[in-house]
């Protein structure tokens, strides 16, 4: 079996006096979109932030391309080719859409061909190119947050609940965009609560509960097993389409 | 300071202060003189405070020792100007520059280096701890002020204005001091320079983004700590420049020059919106204008008037005139 792009082993994270991650073990296969599912408070966001170095793992290893990155600073982790789209989107509201993307393009000027590809599914960004990002709608801000992560080719993209709070039509737009991204064989680790999005996009899946991984496997297997869904997530994917 | 959709509403505050003063003062000639004096004072305060607002915006650091950089800039400039008495006193501006340029550059360099020392040694251990920041920077300022006593002595030293900038230009009944006009031009040049850097360069974009969300800037791969050090040093250097110019404005330097200004500087950056250079600019002009008008109309309430201004602005816009990021 090929070595995964990212592998977590026994990762524990404390935030203040709270013990959030209590030994997280899972792997993200290269070139696949891995879904990280679980109930609220399971530790999904903490897992992404710990991978990114925004919170420090107190124990365990985080291996990216075979090397332990758990002691690296956040910028050093980003330098490895890892992009992060936080749940809050964290767009720079006072900067224009263009300026947000200029900052995200670390290697040089914006690539016009890549921009055209992004505009193909996020047309609003082209329309509001010179508008301060703070004036965009919620869906457009999410488009910008994702666009920042993909404005240059990355090895791994961490996306935290991109569909949260968005209208169904915007969610469909976002799912279509992420499907386009999948065609480029970019590796993605995505936290998601929208099970329709999870099933339509995910190749592999890891389910968290109580700060641990309680299931890992193929998304198709989980989608086909209503009993397993009910046991792991407390509901059925089919009920949430 | 985004070029798109600029918020002009806070500028109404400046117009209200100026027009209100015109009505109360009555004499247009006096009003023009006071307005130019207020603009000069405001722009000098802006030079001194612009770095502090960025430091707070970028790294949430409350540096109560900022006044020290002002004092050091003023003392260093005074020392350098004394080395060139003939050039400084000449009525030729070119000759004045021989004394002024090294004095102002040395003031900026000394304040910048002191800022670097402060950031590395005093402030770095207390990132994210506001109470400790206040205590340790205040303590650092007290120690450094005593060192100033040791180096320059406890007595007031003079810092005369350059010969070509003494006196006033008369327009009918209106007398405009040359030094104040020069201060206005220099203050505007600093503002334009900062605006160009913040809006037209990638480092400026990074500073603005860092003020809004430093964590996300780091997640994009940028070392915000390095950026912060650069901004801290540049802000300290600007404070040094402002201190030198303010010393010439008052034609005297004492160790208390920084401590005297720090109250106005904090009022300015709070009024402007913590982290906003545009807000700092508008806030400084408002404070400078109001201080001069009220000093003329009712000298006893001059300082109180600026605190009242801050209260009014915060009641109107609780996050300041131009809020930056989530502050």
């Amino acid at each position: 079996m090929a070595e995964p792009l990212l592998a977590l082993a026994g990762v524990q994270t404390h935030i203040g006096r709270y013990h959030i991650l209590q030994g997280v073990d899972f792997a993200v296969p290269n070139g696949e979109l891995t879904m990280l599912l679980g109930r609220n408070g399971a530790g999904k966001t903490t897992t992404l932030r710990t991978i990114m170095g925004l919170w420090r793992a107190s124990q365990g290893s985080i291996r990216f391309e075979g090397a332990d990155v758990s002691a690296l600073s956040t910028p050093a982790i980003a330098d490895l080719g890892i992009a992060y789209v936080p749940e809050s989107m964290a767009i720079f509201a006072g900067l224009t859409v263009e300026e947000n993307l200029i900052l995200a393009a670390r290697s040089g000027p914006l690539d016009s061909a890549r921009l055209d590809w992004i505009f193909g599914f996020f047309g609003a960004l082209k329309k509001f190119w010179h508008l301060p990002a703070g004036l965009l709608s919620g869906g457009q801000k999410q488009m910008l947050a994702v666009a920042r992560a993909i404005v240059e080719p990355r090895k791994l993209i961490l996306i935290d609940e991109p569909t949260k709070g968005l209208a169904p039509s915007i969610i469909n737009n976002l799912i279509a965009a992420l499907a386009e991204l999948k065609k480029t064989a970019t590796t993605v680790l995505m936290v998601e609560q929208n099970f329709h999005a999870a099933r339509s996009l995910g190749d592999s899946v890891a389910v968290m509960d109580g700060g641990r991984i309680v299931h890992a496997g193929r998304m198709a297997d989980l989608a086909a097993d209503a009993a397993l869904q009910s046991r792991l997530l407390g509901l059925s994917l089919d009920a949430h389409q | 300071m985004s070029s798109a959709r600029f918020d002009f509403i806070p500028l109404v505050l400046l117009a209200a202060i100026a027009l209100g003063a015109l009505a109360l003062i009555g004499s247009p000639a006096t009003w023009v003189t006071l307005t130019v004096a207020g603009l000069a004072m405001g722009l000098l305060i802006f030079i001194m405070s612009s770095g502090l607002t960025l430091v707070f915006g970028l790294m949430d650091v409350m540096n109560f020792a900022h006044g020290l950089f002002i004092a050091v800039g003023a003392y260093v400039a005074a020392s350098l100007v004394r080395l060139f008495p003939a050039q400084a006193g000449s009525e030729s501006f070119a000759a004045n520059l021989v004394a002024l340029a090294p004095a102002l550059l040395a003031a900026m360099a000394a304040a910048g280096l002191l800022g670097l020392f402060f950031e590395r040694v005093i402030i770095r251990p207390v990132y994210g701890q506001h109470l400790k920041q206040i205590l340790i920077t205040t303590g650092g300022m007290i120690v450094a002020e005593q060192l100033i006593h040791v180096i320059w002595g406890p007595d007031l030293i003079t810092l005369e204005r350059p010969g070509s900038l003494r006196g006033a230009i008369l327009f009918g009944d209106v007398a405009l001091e040359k030094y104040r006009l020069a201060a206005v031009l220099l203050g505007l040049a600093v503002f334009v320079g900062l605006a160009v850097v913040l809006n037209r360069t990638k480092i400026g974009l990074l500073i603005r983004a860092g003020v809004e969300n430093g964590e996300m800037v780091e997640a994009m791969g940028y070392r915000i700590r390095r950026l912060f050090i650069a901004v801290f040093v540049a802000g300290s250097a600007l404070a040094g420049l402002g201190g030198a110019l303010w010393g010439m404005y008052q034609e005297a330097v004492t160790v208390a020059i920084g401590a005297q200004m720090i109250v106005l500087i904090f009022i300015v950056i709070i009024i402007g919106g913590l982290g906003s250079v545009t807000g700092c600019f508008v806030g400084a002009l408002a404070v400078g204008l109001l201080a001069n008008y009220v000093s003329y109309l009712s000298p006893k309430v001059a300082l109180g008037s600026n605190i009242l201004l801050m209260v009014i602005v915060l009641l109107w816009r609780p996050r300041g005139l131009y809020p930056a990021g989530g502050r």
Side-chain angles (χ1 to χ4, degrees):
Chain A
M1 187 176 171
E3 187 171 336
L5 184 67
L6 179 76
L8 281 72
V11 172
Q12 301 201 26
T13 301
H14 293 76
I15 301 173
R17 59 191 174 91
Y18 298 103
H19 190 185
I20 308 296
L21 300 188
Q22 303 185 8
V24 172
D25 304 274
F26 77 103
V28 177
N30 203 353
E32 289 196 355
L33 194 153
T34 299
M35 284 291 173
L36 188 57
L37 306 181
R39 298 181 179 92
N40 286 338
K44 306 181 297 295
T45 293
T46 303
T47 300
L48 294 197
R49 289 180 62 84
T50 303
I51 293 168
M52 215 49 222
L54 294 166
W55 285 328
R56 286 280 149 215
S58 48
Q59 280 188 51
S61 73
I62 302 169
R63 304 188 77 81
F64 180 72
E65 294 184 313
D68 192 346
V69 300
S70 56
L72 294 183
S73 68
T74 297
I77 291 168
D79 284 347
L80 297 172
I82 303 177
Y84 175 52
V85 182
E87 186 180 356
S88 65
M89 299 180 271
I91 56 147
F92 303 121
L95 274 60
T96 64
V97 170
E98 179 187 20
E99 288 169 338
N100 268 270
L101 291 174
I102 286 173
L103 277 191
R106 292 288 314 284
S107 61
L110 291 168
D111 179 343
S112 57
R114 184 104 181 161
L115 274 184
D116 286 341
W117 174 67
I118 292 171
F119 291 152
F121 39 83
F122 292 153
L125 299 184
K126 186 175 186 179
K127 183 177 177 184
F128 300 120
W129 189 240
H130 295 297
L131 198 68
L135 299 179
L136 298 176
S137 69
Q140 290 160 352
K141 286 177 182 169
Q142 190 59 269
M143 290 176 192
L144 177 58
V146 174
R148 275 194 321 203
I150 62 175
V151 72
E152 288 179 332
R154 313 280 188 202
K155 291 176 183 170
L156 173 65
I157 301 175
L158 311 175
I159 309 179
D160 197 351
E161 290 204 51
T163 64
K164 187 179 179 183
L166 300 184
S169 61
I170 303 289
I171 291 175
N172 289 337
N173 185 216
L174 206 56
I175 290 173
L178 292 169
E180 280 295 313
L181 180 65
K182 277 185 69 175
K183 291 178 185 171
T184 65
T186 302
T187 308
V188 178
L189 173 60
M190 186 165 136
V191 168
E192 188 51 76
Q193 298 262 25
N194 180 312
F195 297 107
H196 168 58
R199 185 165 74 169
S200 58
L201 289 169
D203 298 308
S204 53
V205 63
V207 181
M208 292 192 77
D209 193 26
R212 290 189 175 88
I213 299 294
V214 293
H215 171 84
R218 306 305 297 170
M219 188 72 211
D221 295 339
L222 179 62
D225 190 337
L228 185 61
Q229 293 163 32
S230 180
R231 182 168 65 81
L232 294 174
L233 304 166
L235 38 77
S236 162
L237 294 187
D238 289 333
H240 283 79
Q241 289 187 44
Chain B
M1 209 174 224
S2 177
S3 53
R5 302 245 177 147
F6 180 76
D7 180 6
F8 287 96
I9 294 173
L11 300 183
V12 173
L13 177 69
L14 296 181
I17 292 171
L19 294 176
L22 177 59
L24 291 171
I25 292 167
S27 160
T30 305
W31 179 81
V32 170
T33 301
L34 289 171
T35 300
V36 172
L39 291 175
M41 179 181 172
L43 286 161
L44 291 179
I45 294 172
F46 166 72
I47 292 173
M48 290 183 258
S49 53
S50 53
L52 187 63
T53 198
L54 283 176
V55 163
F56 190 92
L58 259 183
M59 295 299 278
D60 219 13
V61 167
M62 302 181 81
N63 178 20
F64 276 59
H66 195 72
L68 174 66
F69 310 137
I70 294 168
V72 165
Y75 273 101
V76 169
S79 299
L80 266 288
V81 166
R82 287 177 172 196
L83 297 179
F84 305 95
Q87 289 88 345
S90 167
E91 292 193 359
S92 157
F93 184 67
N96 291 160
L97 276 182
V98 174
L100 267 187
L104 296 181
L105 289 174
M108 293 178 74
L113 283 173
L114 188 62
L116 181 63
F117 173 81
F118 250 75
E119 198 282 330
R120 295 284 81 187
V121 178
I122 308 279
I123 292 173
R124 194 180 189 187
V126 292
Y127 273 132
Q129 303 172 72
H130 280 159
L131 181 59
K132 287 184 179 176
Q133 287 167 5
I134 293 169
L135 292 173
I136 202 166
T137 55
T138 304
M141 181 159 174
I142 292 169
V143 171
E145 281 182 350
Q146 295 308 309
L147 289 175
I148 288 177
H149 277 306
V150 171
I151 297 170
W152 281 284
D155 299 329
L156 176 151
I157 61 175
T158 56
L159 176 53
E160 290 186 356
R161 298 177 186 181
S164 65
L165 298 179
R166 291 175 196 156
I169 302 171
L170 292 174
F171 295 96
D173 293 338
V174 179
L176 301 178
E177 282 192 27
K178 292 178 188 173
Y179 186 79
R180 287 174 176 169
L181 290 173
V184 167
L185 291 176
L186 197 58
L188 287 174
V190 169
F191 176 66
V192 170
L194 279 174
V196 169
V197 168
L198 288 173
N199 289 304
R200 298 279 179 259
T201 69
K202 192 157 184 175
I203 195 111
L205 285 186
L206 272 174
I207 292 170
R208 288 163 56 206
V211 168
E212 283 200 38
N213 190 333
E215 182 180 276
M216 194 61 214
V217 171
E218 290 220 297
M220 291 165 82
Y222 296 100
R223 272 77 177 165
I224 200 164
R225 284 283 167 93
R226 292 181 194 169
L227 182 67
F228 172 65
I229 294 167
V231 169
F232 198 96
V233 170
S236 305
L238 280 175
L241 173 66
L245 295 170
W246 186 251
M248 284 182 212
Y249 190 82
Q250 294 191 308
E251 299 195 275
V253 178
T254 68
V255 75
I257 187 171
Q260 288 164 353
M261 295 309 294
I262 201 71
V263 175
L264 287 180
I265 287 171
F266 273 109
I267 289 174
V268 162
I269 66 173
I270 291 169
I271 285 176
L274 295 167
S276 165
V277 171
T278 302
C280 179
F281 179 74
V282 176
L285 291 182
V287 163
L289 287 171
L290 194 65
N292 276 272
Y293 293 142
V294 177
S295 294
Y296 175 80
L297 290 166
S298 181
K300 289 182 181 175
V301 294
L303 180 60
S305 66
N306 278 313
I307 293 172
L308 182 64
L309 174 69
M310 180 170 70
V311 171
I312 291 168
V313 168
L314 294 182
L315 285 172
W316 174 34
R317 291 193 170 192
R319 292 168 59 214
L321 295 173
Y322 292 93
R327 294 170 202 288

